[in-house]
Amino acid sequence: MPKYMVIMRSTDETLAAFENVDFNEIMDQMGRYNDQLIKAGVLVAAEGLDGAPGVVIDYSSQPPVVTDGPYGETKELFAGFWILNVASEEEAVEWARRAPLAGPGSKAEIRRVASIDEFPQDNEWIQKERAWREANGQL
Amino acid sequence: MSIRDTTGDPARQAVEAVWRVESTRIIGGLTRYTGDFALAEDVAQEALAEALVSWPRDGVPESPAGWLMAVGRRRAIDAFRRRSLRDEKYAVIARDAARTGSVDGSDTDPTPEDLLDPDRIDDDRLALLFIACHPVLSKESQVALTLRAVAGLGTDQIARTFLVPVPTIQARITRAKKTLGAARVPFGVPAAEDRAERLSSVLNVIYLIFTEGSSASVGEDWIRIDLAAEAIRLARTLVQLVPDEPEAYGLLALCELTAARFPARVGPDGEPVLLADQDRRRWDRSAIRRGTAALAKDSSFGRGLGPYGLQAAIAACHAVAPSVDETDWDRIVVLYEALGRIAPSPVVELNRAVAVSMAQGPEAALPLVDDLVARDVLRGSQLLPSVRGELLIKLGRSEEARQELELAIRLTQNARERAVLERKIAGLP
């Protein structure tokens, strides 16, 4: 069964709207949603990103330019993700539709996670990556 | 590489995806509404069929589950009206429904949203698993009903997977529902005194689905459902629903640890690769990690491992070993001995003999195999002569080995296996 990443994307507008929502309420909704994913046997991994401003590196010029996080530019922010083990992209979409992400500018993006088996297996770096995955049981 | 199915009908796939996510909630809710699992399953399937016609035409409704539940509920009331013409019991129900709008005669008829009660989903899902795997049903009916009512697969998907015509699966499900009705099997979690037997049946069905998937021929039709993955999903669901049952974790561990080897079990030309010859770097490490964690959970109950847990423990010995030679064969021998006591079978004894051969050498294993031969078990299977032949090769008894391998060739149905045996004969001095 393929894996899909459901990527939470939000804007400054989304974050502003969430500031008015009770944190316990958010925890409750998110907890219930994750519980559904677990009980359906589809959740592989999930992480949320810290809300504090991060750092952006722009590689358009060399050396790359490092600036403060993308806040205040109303650009889309990557806010967290779920990885789901489901039968099809359509099923991943169905699960993502149910995520408690309602809000202005709030979006989710669904992408299939490529498997290491899809890369050339005779490449020495792929072989090294395999060994690393073997050692620590990474996805 | 894109795995997006571009040949299928996207609207149909959207309906199927909704069904996958919502089927247990809908069938569970409708069963509580009608008090009749067979009827609920029928009307839920009718609602699904209606969605397949109307959603592509009118668009997917805002609340797909609510839509399906509303249609199912309406069809259930229609069914009660039809039945009322020939059965006084249903006539009463239908009159109540007409008077109050409610099948159970209460003043407030539940809305589709009431029936989709999120607090009932766990109980409903478990009750569905228990009823679909009920011991009054044949194994093949249990498998078909579990895949349709619990995993949310369509009849056509199940039929393609088992390479049988759609009406065959349809007939199995219809017969299963008639049997459940005739046996007056209630919908719900079984009583404490029946629980062990009923749970064992659920575990067995999930494992059957898994082995059906893991033994499927290689290079299979892409459209076939990945049954092993379906079974793992069901096992993951089960441990959430019955978190106090060690064997549920044992089953999950066994499935995860066995599936971890799938990427390495087929060679470049589609030929099966035996455990000893597998490239262990290709094993799925995250599946091994999940399987090992489930096995640790099983052990943590301190109640001793059951048949699934013991098989999982054997699979774990292989999973953590860097090579065949560095495998803890002594431990595997002990685990097979334990498995042979609680779940005796000639295949387990034969596997134990293979492990003894690895741990102590072929001379220790041969008497165990000869004992099986003397008891005339596993007759007609190539397993016994091929293992005996292998032991005789190691003991340097080439002529006897040749005879055993030739017998195994006569008994095998599988062309690839025959080729492997023929290579062994060709390699004899």
Side-chain angles (χ1 to χ4, degrees):
Chain A
M1 246 184 223
K3 290 202 257 297
Y4 290 85
M5 182 181 274
V6 177
I7 304 163
M8 288 181 242
R9 296 188 338 196
S10 50
T11 60
D12 290 341
E13 199 190 359
T14 320
L15 293 178
F18 267 100
E19 275 174 17
N20 302 321
V21 183
D22 178 18
F23 180 70
N24 288 327
E25 175 67 23
I26 296 176
M27 287 295 288
D28 193 52
Q29 287 186 6
M30 207 46 103
R32 279 173 193 276
Y33 178 66
N34 288 338
D35 193 51
Q36 281 177 36
L37 296 174
I38 291 167
K39 285 186 172 142
V42 300
L43 185 64
V44 175
E47 301 289 352
L49 300 190
D50 189 276
V55 169
V56 167
I57 305 179
D58 185 343
Y59 301 92
S60 325
S61 59
Q62 288 300 322
V65 176
V66 179
T67 57
D68 282 345
Y71 292 73
E73 298 177 33
T74 65
K75 284 195 176 155
E76 285 186 341
L77 306 168
F78 183 128
F81 68 87
W82 291 269
I83 293 181
L84 306 181
N85 204 182
V86 290
S88 63
E89 185 181 273
E90 287 77 12
E91 194 190 348
V93 170
E94 275 311 307
W95 282 113
R97 279 158 54 103
R98 289 160 173 71
L101 298 175
S106 176
K107 288 180 184 165
E109 177 177 337
I110 289 128
R111 304 278 300 273
R112 190 176 66 85
V113 178
S115 150
I116 191 168
D117 290 331
E118 293 165 43
F119 293 91
Q121 297 303 308
D122 49 4
N123 179 293
E124 71 168 302
W125 297 109
I126 294 300
Q127 290 174 359
K128 279 194 175 167
E129 188 185 323
R130 263 200 188 283
W132 171 76
R133 283 172 188 265
E134 181 175 349
N136 65 15
Q138 283 292 309
L139 290 171
Chain B
M1 187 187 94
S2 168
I3 63 129
R4 192 194 296 258
D5 174 13
T6 49
T7 58
D9 170 1
R12 186 185 176 87
Q13 284 171 5
V15 179
E16 282 174 356
V18 168
W19 189 249
R20 272 256 184 193
V21 175
E22 301 288 3
S23 64
T24 46
R25 214 146 71 100
I26 291 162
I27 299 171
L30 287 169
T31 305
R32 276 185 278 111
Y33 182 61
T34 61
D36 180 340
F37 166 70
L39 175 64
E41 218 272 339
D42 281 345
V43 295
Q45 294 293 331
E46 286 173 26
L48 175 63
E50 211 170 304
L52 282 166
V53 175
S54 99
W55 295 5
R57 189 187 58 213
D58 309 332
V60 176
E62 205 169 301
S63 164
W67 189 98
L68 287 163
M69 187 63 100
V71 173
R73 182 169 156 277
R74 205 160 56 231
R75 293 297 179 102
I77 294 170
D78 290 347
F80 279 122
R81 292 207 175 109
R82 276 198 309 278
R83 289 181 186 187
S84 72
L85 299 175
R86 51 185 165 79
D87 187 324
E88 185 50 32
K89 181 184 88 177
Y90 291 110
V92 173
I93 296 172
R95 268 199 303 277
D96 284 344
R99 183 168 48 78
T100 65
S102 157
V103 167
D104 63 6
S106 60
D107 289 339
T108 50
D109 193 40
T111 64
E113 273 64 35
D114 293 336
L115 293 173
L116 290 168
D117 183 355
D119 293 334
R120 302 297 291 269
I121 175 70
D122 290 354
D123 290 345
D124 283 354
R125 213 193 296 256
L126 190 57
L128 280 173
L129 255 178
F130 275 119
I131 203 167
C133 300
H134 197 282
V136 295
L137 303 175
S138 71
K139 284 291 158 221
E140 56 185 23
S141 292
Q142 291 173 335
V143 165
L145 198 53
T146 300
L147 288 174
R148 194 164 90 166
V150 189
L153 295 182
T155 311
D156 51 341
Q157 291 174 306
I158 301 170
R160 274 200 303 268
T161 303
F162 287 98
L163 303 175
V164 297
V166 171
T168 305
I169 294 295
Q170 196 67 55
R172 277 180 202 170
I173 287 171
T174 305
R175 202 177 316 123
K177 288 193 289 193
K178 275 191 185 147
T179 307
L180 291 171
R184 299 265 179 263
V185 173
F187 180 74
V189 176
E193 64 269 25
D194 298 335
R195 190 164 164 112
E197 187 208 355
R198 298 285 302 276
L199 183 71
S200 145
S201 186
V202 171
L203 295 169
N204 181 252
V205 170
I206 296 177
Y207 191 55
L208 266 180
I209 294 171
F210 180 80
T211 50
E212 187 67 42
S214 62
S215 61
S217 59
V218 286
E220 63 211 22
D221 184 357
W222 61 269
I223 214 161
R224 289 180 67 189
I225 291 294
D226 183 349
L227 279 181
E230 293 301 334
I232 289 176
R233 242 168 106 152
L234 289 168
R236 286 178 187 161
T237 298
L238 185 67
V239 299
Q240 293 296 323
L241 297 175
V242 291
D244 299 329
E245 296 287 352
E247 268 290 80
Y249 292 96
L251 174 69
L252 176 59
L254 175 58
C255 294
E256 292 275 17
L257 290 165
T258 307
R261 302 203 292 256
F262 286 177
R265 71 183 165 157
V266 180
D269 301 321
E271 74 281 10
V273 181
L274 298 174
L275 176 63
D277 304 322
Q278 288 178 4
D279 177 356
R280 294 176 183 227
R281 291 174 309 168
R282 297 190 66 97
W283 288 357
D284 180 343
R285 296 288 146 182
S286 49
I288 290 174
R289 198 179 30 144
R290 289 192 298 269
T292 314
L295 182 57
K297 181 77 185 167
D298 183 353
S299 309
S300 75
F301 286 91
R303 280 153 58 181
L305 299 178
Y308 297 105
L310 285 169
Q311 291 177 80
I314 293 166
C317 287
H318 293 302
V320 300
S323 68
V324 175
D325 291 337
E326 293 161 275
T327 305
D328 189 349
W329 289 105
D330 289 327
R331 181 172 162 75
I332 293 179
V333 169
V334 173
L335 289 166
Y336 270 123
E337 278 169 9
L339 182 61
R341 286 197 194 99
I342 59 171
S345 105
V347 174
V348 171
E349 285 183 60
L350 188 62
N351 282 328
R352 179 167 73 97
V354 173
V356 166
S357 150
M358 298 305 294
Q360 300 157 33
E363 57 288 331
L366 193 59
L368 303 174
V369 176
D370 287 344
D371 180 51
L372 287 170
V373 175
R375 279 155 48 201
D376 200 20
V377 290
L378 290 171
R379 202 183 333 159
S381 158
Q382 80 286 0
L383 284 174
L384 197 46
S386 58
V387 168
R388 191 159 190 276
E390 186 66 29
L391 293 176
L392 290 166
I393 293 175
K394 287 181 179 162
L395 289 167
R397 290 156 63 174
S398 304
E399 201 38 54
E400 292 162 88
R402 183 190 311 276
Q403 287 172 18
E404 289 291 342
L405 295 174
E406 282 171 352
L407 173 59
I409 287 174
R410 285 199 296 280
L411 291 172
T412 185
Q413 309 288 323
N414 183 308
R416 293 195 190 278
E417 207 165 76
R418 188 173 304 126
V420 171
L421 291 164
E422 280 166 352
R423 269 203 302 281
K424 280 186 183 167
I425 291 183
L428 285 171

